[in-house]
Amino acid sequence: MTERASQAISFAIHPSRDPVPAARRAELLVEPGFGQVFTDHMVTAAWTAEHGWHDAQLRPYGPFSLDPACQVFHYGQEIFEGIKAYRQAGGPIVTFRPAANAARFVGSARRMAMPELPEDAFVRAIELLVAQDRDWVPAEPGHSLYIRPFMIATYVGLGVRRPSPSYLFAVIASPAGSYFHGGPHPVSVWLADGYIRAAPGGTGAAKTGGNYAGGFVGQMQAIEHGCDQVVWLDSARRQWVEELGGMNLFFVYGSGSSARVMTPALTGSLLEGVTRDSLLTLAADLGIPADEGAISVTDWREGCAAGEITEVFACGTAAVITPVGAVKSTGGDWTIGDGAPGPVTRRLREHLLGIQFGQFPDPHGWVHKIC
Ligand code: COI
């Protein structure tokens, strides 16, 4: 069977003959954690300089057979995305702003000298996989299906003269509970010391595996200091706050009707989060002034001490909105407010999840129905 939906790319449909039995799937959905359990199917498509995108298919989830000399294993030519599907109460299964992820995937591909996947094919691949594996979308409140599209360089050879002339695009999906163990409790963060994540002109704004590989050493420092996450600072002065290991940051100034939020501006070295962008709009919708700007470590510490910064939270597709309760660094430690989730953090989280799960109106048309 062949499905013609994307303008340029046709997906062949090959359902699994051996899906996980319903009873076992139900067990797996009870406590799925994050990124541990995978659904019955995946989508793949190949690209070559000669044929462009071809051989697109939905097929049973399973291992790839790849030559050990494939370029991705040696030079890390790889990009990925993260997006979720939600089971709305008694009704449809939806996803959230898939066109924004499709556009970012194109941007990452350009930066990593990889072929651009047409945005409609990116969205169609997600629709096909989620519709096929709809029974894997959790019904538990707050749980979702995390979808991971990615692309790798498959050229076999060790030369580094030019980018790979062949690629594999794939989409896999994984039922997800809370990203942080134990649910969305306030996390503690460690200010990266001695390492940077990204520099001007580098790959920081692209969603490419190397940014995360290079970040693990900072994440290990964070864990050694008893923290959940690392905060990356700017490369030149190690002074300006950029982002967390896999999430953007928001700062709340003031409280009550005078509260406002600010997130570090996109300098080219931090990731343009879809959740970040949505929250800038959503905060404004709720009457909370929202801005992009610059914040130094000193501003952060002194702002908390003076009571001007009342809340800080991290945001991303995987983590949704997660309060930050405490900061540790070689220059000193401090807490944010009383260390507990603040009212602005809770309100934004409730509204974002409310739109995604269909409990609140969706004035910007962000929700994308799949089935
Ligand atoms: C996401 O929030 O989707 C991410 O990509 C963060 C992380 C799991 C790498």
Side-chain angles (χ1 to χ4, degrees):
M1 180 171 42
T2 295
E3 207 255 9
R4 293 204 69 87
S6 161
Q7 276 169 12
I9 301 175
S10 308
F11 290 86
I13 311 290
H14 303 297
S16 171
R17 292 201 187 122
D18 187 24
V20 172
R24 176 68 188 134
R25 189 178 61 234
E27 280 170 17
L28 292 168
L29 287 176
V30 174
E31 287 283 351
F34 181 83
Q36 301 296 311
V37 173
F38 296 90
T39 65
D40 291 313
H41 296 87
M42 60 186 183
V43 170
T44 57
W47 186 92
T48 57
E50 192 184 350
H51 299 294
W53 288 107
H54 62 279
D55 196 19
Q57 48 181 307
L58 176 120
R59 55 171 164 139
Y61 182 93
F64 297 136
S65 174
L66 290 170
D67 192 293
C70 272
Q71 196 149 317
V72 65
F73 297 135
H74 305 276
Y75 308 123
Q77 212 189 354
E78 186 268 359
I79 58 172
F80 70 95
E81 272 301 323
I83 182 167
K84 282 176 172 170
Y86 309 89
R87 185 182 293 278
Q88 297 192 331
I93 292 171
V94 305
T95 187
F96 186 74
R97 303 189 67 187
N101 292 85
R104 190 171 63 181
F105 200 62
V106 167
S108 297
R110 283 188 189 142
R111 177 60 185 85
M112 300 303 289
M114 297 167 85
E116 293 173 25
L117 180 72
E119 294 180 20
D120 68 325
F122 178 96
V123 174
R124 191 65 192 142
I126 288 171
E127 289 171 342
L128 284 174
L129 181 59
V130 173
Q132 183 72 34
D133 285 341
R134 63 173 76 85
D135 292 341
W136 285 93
V137 182
E140 183 73 16
H143 290 194
S144 55
L145 185 71
Y146 184 77
I147 303 155
R148 174 52 64 86
F150 62 102
M151 194 200 311
I152 58 172
T154 52
Y155 173 68
V156 177
L158 302 182
V160 278
R161 283 187 306 280
R162 59 177 68 91
S164 169
S166 63
Y167 296 86
L168 176 71
F169 167 71
V171 190
I172 56 175
S174 172
S178 179
Y179 183 69
F180 290 106
H181 189 65
H185 61 93
V187 295
S188 54
V189 296
W190 167 254
L191 300 187
D193 183 37
Y195 300 103
I196 56 151
R197 174 187 175 276
T203 60
K207 208 158 172 64
T208 179
N211 290 339
Y212 298 79
F216 283 133
V217 68
Q219 181 61 24
M220 277 159 54
Q221 276 189 340
I223 292 167
E224 278 158 22
H225 288 86
C227 293
D228 299 292
Q229 280 285 315
V230 58
V231 177
W232 293 110
L233 305 176
D234 75 289
S235 60
R237 300 182 60 193
R238 316 270 169 105
Q239 186 183 104
W240 300 101
V241 176
E242 296 211 320
E243 63 177 298
L244 292 191
M247 285 153 264
N248 294 115
L249 273 170
F250 271 78
F251 295 81
V252 182
Y253 292 81
S255 57
S257 58
S258 66
R260 63 185 174 89
V261 298
M262 194 278 287
T263 187
L266 301 174
T267 55
S269 59
L270 63 151
L271 193 78
E272 188 174 357
V274 176
T275 309
R276 173 190 178 281
D277 182 70
S278 307
L279 288 175
L280 283 169
T281 302
L282 194 57
D285 289 352
L286 297 176
I288 304 167
D291 221 342
E292 299 169 87
I295 179 165
S296 69
V297 172
T298 309
D299 295 339
W300 189 354
R301 186 176 52 238
E302 292 180 355
C304 287
E308 287 157 10
I309 295 176
T310 49
E311 304 172 39
V312 176
F313 61 85
C315 66
T317 300
V320 195
I321 293 179
T322 299
V324 177
V327 186
K328 289 189 184 180
S329 72
T330 47
D333 304 347
W334 66 95
T335 48
I336 297 148
D338 60 4
V344 175
T345 305
R346 282 190 271 116
R347 192 164 168 224
L348 287 171
R349 184 180 160 87
E350 185 186 310
H351 269 79
L352 182 64
L353 288 171
I355 293 172
Q356 292 167 338
F357 282 93
Q359 291 131 349
F360 289 1
D362 173 28
H364 302 287
W366 286 338
V367 167
H368 179 92
K369 185 176 171 195
I370 293 186
C371 56

